[in-house]
Amino acid sequence: MGRIPNERDGRDLQERVVQINRVAKVVKGGRRFSFTALVVVGDEVDQVGIGYGKANEVPVAISKAVEDAKKAMFKVPKHHNTVPHEILGVFGAGRVLLKPASPGTGVIAGAGVRAVLELAGIRDILAKSLGTSNPINLVRATEAGLKALRRPEDVAKLRGKTVAEVLPPRARPVVAAATAPENDA
């Protein structure tokens, strides 16, 4: 198997370790410890992947997780700097609600979900964990939600409408009347 480069489509990949866990296996002579690592890899534009690695040492577990994440990368559909629509991602007992946010909101999310969203290139979003607090299930639920997103162009094409008709109406500025209307009687 060939070596996977640190770039994908010419973009530099960032990696974030979400969780490292020490696992003990009880054997005849005592306990044997190994480590697991949950890692998120992304280009901070529109691609992200999640990997899980196990080894007897932490650095090896992290490198295995990074390789796993690079193999599992996928493209995230976006609308400007947010998600195109609201979605609920589910994985096991983990449920993550992802809602589009107005520009300047930032990423409002917990640690594991935040890592996935930031490395996917999403800058404005509201996220809420509705189920478990297990980081593995939350990260996988976020991944499921992002994979279930549909681009506005695709939805418009399926419905036979324009993109403007599919997107929610923009908030229109309210123009207050300077003076009350006069009645000439």
Side-chain angles (χ1 to χ4, degrees):
M1 187 163 119
R3 192 172 157 266
I4 299 173
N6 198 28
E7 294 182 5
R8 190 151 171 132
D9 296 335
R11 299 183 194 139
D12 229 8
L13 295 178
Q14 305 292 321
E15 58 189 58
R16 288 208 195 141
V17 178
V18 175
Q19 181 190 35
I20 295 175
N21 192 20
R22 186 180 78 171
V23 181
K25 178 182 179 184
V26 179
V27 293
K28 186 177 179 182
R31 293 186 189 97
R32 291 221 176 126
F33 294 106
S34 62
F35 297 91
T36 64
L38 178 64
V39 175
V40 179
V41 173
D43 62 0
E44 295 183 326
V45 178
D46 65 351
Q47 290 186 349
V48 70
I50 296 157
Y52 193 68
K54 302 178 209 174
N56 290 332
E57 290 140 21
V58 174
V60 180
I62 291 173
S63 64
K64 283 183 178 182
V66 168
E67 292 300 314
D68 188 36
K70 286 179 183 177
K71 291 177 192 172
M73 288 188 78
F74 64 96
K75 263 191 177 315
V76 177
K78 298 189 313 181
H79 180 69
H80 300 298
N81 281 333
T82 188
V83 290
H85 56 87
E86 187 175 311
I87 191 87
L88 180 68
V90 179
F91 183 86
R95 298 184 325 161
V96 176
L97 177 67
L98 304 172
K99 291 176 98 173
S102 57
T105 303
V107 178
I108 311 295
V113 177
R114 173 184 296 274
V116 175
L117 296 173
E118 286 178 348
L119 291 179
I122 297 173
R123 302 280 169 255
D124 302 309
I125 190 166
L126 302 169
K128 179 67 182 160
S129 165
L130 301 173
T132 183
S133 60
N134 180 345
I136 298 168
N137 285 345
L138 289 179
V139 167
R140 293 288 182 188
T142 306
E143 176 186 28
L146 291 177
K147 283 184 176 179
L149 286 173
R150 295 165 59 180
R151 294 177 39 231
E153 296 83 17
D154 298 339
V155 175
K157 186 177 177 185
L158 283 172
R159 295 181 186 174
K161 296 184 175 185
T162 64
V163 177
E165 290 174 324
V166 171
L167 289 174
R170 300 266 189 257
R172 295 187 180 97
V174 178
V175 180
T179 58
E182 296 177 27
N183 291 337
D184 291 330

